Amino acid sequence: MSFVWIFLWTFLLLIPGIIKSLAYSQAYYIYRDAIDQQQSISCRDAISKSRALMNGHKWEYFMLQLSFIGWGLLIMITFGIAAIWVQPYYHLTMANYYRHLVATSTEKSRLETAN
């Protein structure tokens, strides 16, 4: 579902498409997190929560994605053999970034309710 929204924003213009893809980037993790906790969630709700979670973190996530350019080049140079090691590293990094966002969001909301 998020692919459809990203495609539509990219179709509009390139830069808004990139920004929206960053905003929707955590939708998969939010969806899986809800399913693992036996909560019902729609794809659209996961996308909305992803937008809220990524508010103020898009540049940080963009820089994290850019840090993997060298690894992508290594995969191309080795004709895909390096992907055996790089893909798990990439996916674990993205999952840990989601965990960091959730922890930061939880801490921020806890501090706001205390004040």
Side-chain angles (χ1 to χ4, degrees):
M1 181 70 173
S2 64
F3 174 76
V4 173
W5 288 102
I6 292 168
F7 174 75
L8 291 174
W9 277 102
T10 305
F11 188 70
L12 181 64
L13 282 174
L14 184 64
I15 300 302
I18 292 170
I19 291 170
K20 285 300 179 179
S21 71
L22 295 173
Y24 300 158
S25 65
Q26 303 305 307
Y28 171 76
Y29 297 108
I30 291 169
Y31 183 79
R32 286 301 312 164
D33 216 7
I35 296 298
D36 289 344
Q37 295 174 4
Q38 283 84 30
Q39 297 174 350
S40 176
I41 188 170
S42 69
C43 293
R44 186 168 264 176
D45 289 339
I47 290 170
S48 296
K49 288 182 180 184
S50 177
R51 277 196 335 245
L53 190 63
M54 288 299 289
N55 193 20
H57 297 281
K58 290 179 196 75
W59 182 253
E60 184 180 69
Y61 186 73
F62 181 71
M63 294 305 290
L64 179 63
Q65 291 288 331
L66 283 181
S67 72
F68 281 92
I69 288 177
W71 291 109
L73 292 174
L74 179 67
I75 290 171
M76 288 191 298
I77 290 170
T78 62
F79 299 106
I81 295 172
I84 295 170
W85 294 276
V86 174
Q87 287 299 314
Y89 173 58
Y90 173 78
H91 290 291
L92 282 173
T93 301
M94 296 305 133
N96 281 325
Y97 183 73
Y98 167 72
R99 291 178 63 196
H100 167 73
L101 283 176
V102 169
T104 304
S105 171
T106 304
E107 182 68 27
K108 186 177 179 182
S109 65
R110 191 172 57 195
L111 288 175
E112 288 174 356
T113 57
N115 291 332

